[in-house]
Amino acid sequence: MEHLKRGRALIFNHMKYDSRLNLEEREGTDVDGTNLEETLRKMDFEVTVHNNFKHDQISEKLEEVAAEDHSKEDCLLVAVMTHGADGGIVYAYDQQYEVEELWQNFTAEKSKTLAQKPKIFLIQACRGDNENQAVEIQKDAAGSNSVKLPNNCDFLIMFSTIPSFVSMRDVDNGSWMFQAFCKVMDEKKYADDFLSLLTRTNYRITTDFTYKDKFGKANKQSSCITSMLTRKIFFGPKSENSVTGCQPSSK
């Protein structure tokens, strides 16, 4: 896939919520939003940021983007920063909703110009209340033809944490996931395929950050990546005279 544009990137960033939800303000998420927007622009995405959207606003925006013509674009990226809960629940400003709503409009049937193109979702949210305690280990030395496709293929979803566990966020520096993601992409975005870069991101999350609870126990975090990709993704640099971009592997 070689297209003129990288594609749309939507950032839904939630700091404040309706008081009826009894949810704490997400301090530090403004840092995440600024850093991620800058990183994605360097990756040649067309970025739009949507702060503290209500559920209806999120739904309308996703439906609007799904209906657009993406034929000249490589891919789609959606990032969500919010509170979450066990059972696949995330929060808009005014209510909870199921996380699957974020990608249900982008199946091959509903968004035809994104068919066979990567649809990337980055979800920074808790998925429960459990904390992931650290464990000390020792390392060992040493063509154009018509094809039939699954309706839900070419999705790549990265959650900041595994099911039933909390997700950490620093009030000064932002969430562990987006600190790691931005650092990896700023340094390595052209060096490897995107799924491998997300694996690098998870390594940084697991090794660079530690949180000690009130009992002094060290806690860590691991992201969770689900891939339905049908090919490798490489982000080459864009220029006015180049259409090199999100390319499949020849293997």
Side-chain angles (χ1 to χ4, degrees):
M1 293 180 292
E2 297 181 356
H3 301 87
L4 184 64
K5 300 178 181 180
R6 178 75 73 224
R8 297 288 303 276
L10 310 178
I11 299 176
F12 295 100
N13 196 356
H14 297 273
M15 177 182 283
K16 299 180 179 180
Y17 300 86
D18 190 307
S19 59
R20 291 173 294 181
L21 297 179
N22 293 317
L23 294 173
E24 293 183 358
E25 214 173 272
R26 297 183 64 255
E27 294 182 74
T29 197
D30 53 332
V31 180
D32 274 346
T34 298
N35 291 341
L36 183 61
E37 180 181 3
E38 181 179 348
T39 293
L40 293 177
R41 289 193 189 282
K42 289 178 183 176
M43 296 171 70
D44 300 305
F45 280 97
E46 179 187 340
V47 185
T48 55
V49 181
H50 309 285
N51 293 317
N52 303 319
F53 262 29
K54 296 180 179 179
H55 178 253
D56 286 349
Q57 291 176 299
I58 295 172
S59 298
E60 289 171 7
K61 176 56 64 176
L62 293 173
E63 289 175 8
E64 172 189 315
V65 172
E68 291 175 358
D69 182 2
H70 300 274
S71 57
K72 296 181 179 180
E73 299 171 359
D74 291 332
C75 54
L76 170 80
L77 187 146
V78 177
V80 178
M81 307 161 183
T82 188
H83 283 303
D86 214 346
I89 297 297
V90 290
Y91 285 88
Y93 173 81
D94 58 337
Q95 69 175 76
Q96 69 178 41
Y97 64 97
E98 295 184 1
V99 70
E100 288 86 355
E101 292 184 36
L102 294 170
W103 51 81
Q104 66 183 10
N105 290 302
F106 297 100
T107 61
E109 180 181 20
K110 292 183 177 179
S111 188
K112 297 187 184 303
T113 57
L114 279 172
Q116 291 188 278
K117 296 181 179 181
K119 294 160 282 285
I120 302 161
F121 294 82
L122 307 176
I123 316 296
Q124 166 59 41
C126 288
R127 304 177 76 187
D129 298 322
N130 293 324
E131 295 183 342
N132 203 344
Q133 293 189 0
V135 177
E136 185 174 350
I137 60 172
Q138 292 183 333
K139 293 185 178 179
D140 291 331
S144 68
N145 290 335
S146 175
V147 295
K148 292 185 181 296
L149 295 168
N151 197 31
N152 291 294
C153 67
D154 292 304
F155 285 90
L156 178 59
I157 304 161
M158 182 177 188
F159 289 94
S160 58
T161 190
I162 58 179
S164 301
F165 282 78
V166 298
S167 182
M168 306 307 297
R169 170 175 34 86
D170 186 288
V171 297
D172 295 317
N173 300 309
S175 65
W176 292 1
M177 183 177 86
F178 282 119
Q179 285 186 65
F181 177 85
C182 291
K183 188 171 185 62
V184 169
M185 297 304 155
D186 288 346
E187 295 176 352
K188 302 287 187 181
K189 57 181 172 288
Y190 302 142
D192 212 338
D193 71 278
F194 188 64
L195 184 55
S196 295
L197 292 174
L198 292 187
T199 302
R200 287 176 185 250
T201 298
N202 190 40
Y203 177 78
R204 302 291 303 246
I205 295 169
T206 61
T207 59
D208 289 1
F209 303 97
T210 302
Y211 162 74
K212 288 191 176 181
D213 63 22
K214 61 182 179 181
F215 302 108
K217 291 184 178 180
N219 291 281
K220 305 291 284 185
Q221 181 176 318
S222 176
S223 65
C224 183
I225 302 168
T226 299
S227 174
M228 291 165 269
L229 296 178
T230 58
R231 67 203 71 196
K232 291 184 178 181
I233 308 168
F234 291 94
F235 288 112
K238 294 284 190 185
S239 70
E240 293 182 359
N241 298 316
S242 172
V243 294
T244 303
C246 185
Q247 302 174 359
S249 169
S250 59
K251 296 180 180 180

